[in-house]
Amino acid sequence: MDSNILYDKLIEENMDKGYQVRLVVNEFREVIYIQLRKYFLSYEGEWVPSREGVSIPASFENIRAMLDGLLDVCASAEGEALIQEYYERLEKKQT
């Protein structure tokens, strides 16, 4: 892991298309950022970040706003179905 990466979580992986989406927290020029970024599989077999994604300062206000938005999605009918699917997948992994 790169020394300036403080957190790295795989969100989605599509091996057929050779990409991942990752949630990354890193430090750049003494500012901590949160990124949701697409990574591609290089010819050398390493995952490398692309320009596709978003990076915002990891301020309390930004984190709270993102969490608030995610909770809104989860509270909706579509979000409920996503949560159900997620927990069903977790149960399958545990068995």
Side-chain angles (χ1 to χ4, degrees):
M1 184 183 309
D2 195 343
S3 63
N4 67 343
I5 294 178
L6 307 173
Y7 180 82
D8 186 351
K9 179 165 179 71
L10 177 65
I11 303 297
E12 179 187 9
E13 184 172 64
N14 186 326
M15 291 304 290
D16 292 334
K17 295 183 179 180
Y19 76 85
Q20 294 179 338
V21 176
R22 293 185 189 182
L23 174 65
V24 176
V25 177
N26 72 321
E27 185 175 350
F28 180 71
R29 296 185 180 170
E30 299 182 13
V31 177
I32 296 178
Y33 292 92
I34 296 175
Q35 299 182 40
L36 190 58
R37 186 150 315 280
K38 197 175 212 180
Y39 282 66
F40 287 96
L41 195 56
S42 73
Y43 291 113
E44 292 81 27
E46 296 182 24
W47 292 101
V48 294
S50 74
R51 297 179 129 200
E52 295 180 58
V54 63
S55 180
I56 62 172
S59 68
F60 177 77
E61 294 80 13
N62 287 343
I63 293 170
R64 189 180 69 169
M66 284 192 307
L67 183 57
D68 189 45
L70 288 170
L71 291 172
D72 283 346
V73 169
C74 291
S76 72
E78 288 178 354
E80 191 174 313
L82 290 172
I83 292 170
Q84 182 65 34
E85 178 185 332
Y86 173 76
Y87 282 108
E88 287 172 1
R89 282 189 283 152
L90 279 180
E91 287 177 358
K92 286 180 184 177
K93 285 183 181 180
Q94 292 176 353
T95 57

